[in-house]
């Protein structure tokens, strides 16, 4: 069964007051070397075969020199932390001017846990700004992802446990060593500030989508499928559409084996889903929702669904046929769209979300093939079993 579980939250949920996103992160990103607005692709073949008016794919497989959107959040958060330490926003046009301004600070060492993309982004920006990065990773992380972290100059620390254990150890490590800045893309009670900045950094993607669509189509997006690990990306989607297009429905997508937000939504409180989390959608292998973003998702998501690995693999293959090389995590949003739109047994759910042939759908292609071995396997086999690590 491709869509394993589906949850429609009750309509009478408590609203959460959200500060509307602003364009400051976008303006900052525009000044970063190599910035271009990533392409918004019309996936017309898929739209026709699935019976939707439009399917837009925001292609984040190459962003500021990295193969995932994650650098948008890491860069804005690191920049914000550094200017706070400096006590002012320096004048800069080039990255070397920015590095010079930051060189006046006491040395900064950033610490984070990662399931791949966020840590790589932190290490990449640390290198550009002249800071150090220490990145904690779970046991069994794909070698290609560890090599990519080291290639960015990160000091990689392997943890005996899951991604969630790596998050706990990153906080303990930062405290024990002292003088560290914890740059976590998830949050817990008492530690939400950096995660909030990361969510704001992701807003760049949604403003770019807004600008690109307004040039070619008069109709707004009806449905957004957004993949969820700890929920920070989904929080950025909810914040954007909640503020600017409240009729747009945001649907959260998780691997069935790591569905911490799905379980939390059903329980009405944050629930931990114990590992091991071995989905091929490696960026979503998280067992605990981010504390800061959970209330936003609880109030703002229109539905939650969980997928098996085979549906992510089908989506990888479909995108590859359309000429797009997208990794399994990156393809999970379109995987959910393919499974839901094509599923006749879900007619009631689709009706209640207003999904039909008039629908304008947005999916986020959030990463390229960051683990080439797993990607190659996805292309060569129609279905896969559980990931071995
Ligand atoms: C490629 C990719 N897409 C989506 C996500 C989900 O983001 P979040 O953990 O903020 O829910 C991740 C998380 O690492 C990711 O790496």
């Amino acid at each position: 069964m491709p869509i394993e579980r589906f949850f429609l939250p009750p309509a009478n949920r408590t609203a959460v007051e959200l500060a509307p996103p602003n364009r400051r992160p976008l303006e900052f990103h525009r000044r970063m070397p190599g910035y271009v607005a990533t392409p918004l692709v019309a996936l017309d073949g898929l739209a026709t075969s699935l019976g939707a008016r439009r399917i837009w794919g925001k292609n984040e497989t190459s962003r500021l020199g990295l193969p995932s959107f994650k650098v948008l959040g890491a860069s804005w958060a690191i920049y914000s932390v550094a200017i706070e330490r400096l006590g002012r926003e320096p004048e800069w046009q080039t990255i070397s001017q920015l590095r010079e301004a930051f060189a006046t600070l006491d040395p900064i060492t950033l610490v984070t846990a990662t399931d791949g993309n966020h840590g790589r982004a932190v290490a990449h920006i640390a290198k550009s700004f002249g800071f150090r990065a220490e990145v904690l990773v779970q046991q069994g992380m794909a070698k290609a992802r560890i090599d990519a972290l080291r290639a960015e100059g990160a000091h990689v620390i392997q943890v005996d446990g899951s991604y969630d254990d790596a998050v706990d150890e990153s906080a303990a490590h930062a405290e024990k060593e002292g003088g560290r800045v914890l740059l976590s893309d998830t949050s817990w009670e008492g530690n939400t500030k950096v995660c909030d900045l990361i969510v704001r950094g992701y807003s760049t993607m949604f403003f770019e989508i807004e600008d690109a669509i307004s040039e070619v189509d008069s109709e707004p997006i009806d449905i957004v499928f957004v993949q969820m690990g700890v929920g920070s990306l989904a929080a950025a989607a909810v914040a954007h559409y909640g503020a600017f297009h409240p009729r747009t429905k945001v649907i959260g997508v998780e691997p069935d084996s790591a569905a911490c937000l799905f379980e939390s939504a059903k329980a009405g409180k944050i629930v931990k889903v114990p590992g091991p989390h071995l989905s091929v959608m490696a960026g979503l292998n998280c067992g605990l929702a981010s504390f800061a973003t959970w209330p936003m998702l609880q109030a703002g998501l229109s539905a939650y669904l969980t997928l098996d690995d085979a549906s992510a693999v089908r989506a990888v293959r479909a995108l590859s046929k359309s000429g797009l090389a997208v990794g399994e995590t990156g393809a999970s949003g379109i995987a959910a769209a393919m499974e839901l739109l094509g599923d006749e047994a879900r007619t009631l759910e689709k009706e209640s979300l207003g999904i039909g042939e008039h629908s304008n759908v947005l999916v986020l292609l959030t990463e390229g093939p960051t683990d080439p071995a797993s990607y190659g396997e996805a292309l060569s086999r129609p279905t896969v079993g559980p990931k071995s690590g």
Side-chain angles (χ1 to χ4, degrees), residues 63-329:
R63 175 62 93 168
L64 296 174
L66 291 177
S68 134
F69 77 100
K70 285 251 144 184
V71 66
L72 295 173
S75 56
W76 177 247
I78 297 170
Y79 180 70
S80 303
V81 166
I83 62 175
E84 190 179 303
R85 290 224 168 160
L86 210 54
R88 65 188 166 88
E89 187 160 9
E91 295 266 326
W92 64 282
Q93 295 308 322
T94 64
I95 201 77
S96 41
Q97 288 169 339
L98 189 58
R99 212 180 7 243
E100 263 171 44
F102 290 156
T104 60
L105 293 168
D106 288 340
I108 292 183
T109 299
L110 304 163
V111 177
T112 192
T114 193
D115 44 22
N117 291 314
H118 172 66
R120 188 169 173 182
V122 169
H124 182 79
I125 296 297
K127 195 169 61 173
S128 318
F129 288 3
F131 306 152
R132 293 184 66 243
E134 295 170 339
V135 181
L136 287 86
V137 304
Q138 74 264 32
Q139 201 180 43
M141 176 181 273
K143 183 175 175 306
R145 294 198 171 98
I146 295 181
D147 290 348
L149 288 167
R150 295 208 170 109
E152 293 295 348
H155 173 54
V156 179
I157 302 167
Q158 277 181 282
V159 162
D160 184 18
S162 66
Y163 165 77
D164 303 298
D165 297 323
V167 170
D168 291 346
E169 287 208 20
S170 65
H173 173 81
E175 190 162 325
K176 187 173 106 221
E177 297 299 324
R180 305 295 200 261
V181 177
L182 189 58
L183 214 98
S184 178
D185 67 342
T186 188
S187 61
W188 47 94
E189 204 164 359
N191 181 50
T192 56
K193 188 173 149 190
V194 165
C195 187
D196 282 343
L197 290 167
I198 286 174
V199 171
R200 276 166 204 261
Y202 296 157
S203 68
T204 287
M205 214 192 316
F206 297 102
F207 281 116
E208 286 177 356
I209 291 167
E210 195 78 37
D211 294 346
I213 288 187
S214 67
E215 281 175 20
V216 292
D217 197 358
S218 53
E219 293 198 18
I221 298 292
D222 301 302
I223 314 280
V224 185
F225 288 92
V226 56
Q227 45 275 71
M228 304 195 294
V230 297
S232 297
L233 172 63
V238 162
H240 186 91
Y241 291 100
F244 304 117
H245 299 282
R247 289 219 193 119
T248 302
K249 299 208 157 52
V250 183
I251 301 181
V253 179
E254 291 172 287
D256 197 56
S257 51
C260 59
L261 283 150
F262 180 95
E263 293 298 349
S264 301
K266 269 180 47 189
K269 60 177 193 267
I270 292 184
V271 170
K272 190 166 186 173
V273 174
H277 306 116
L278 300 174
S279 169
V280 291
M281 296 167 257
L284 313 183
N285 279 332
C286 310
L288 188 64
S290 170
F291 178 82
T293 54
W294 158 246
M296 296 165 67
L297 300 185
Q298 196 183 23
L301 282 181
S302 295
Y304 300 73
L305 62 82
T306 75
L307 291 177
D308 64 1
D309 278 0
S311 46
V313 168
R314 270 193 291 279
V316 164
R317 293 162 73 86
L319 289 169
S320 158
K321 283 195 187 123
S322 310
L324 294 165
V326 179
E328 296 92 319
T329 304

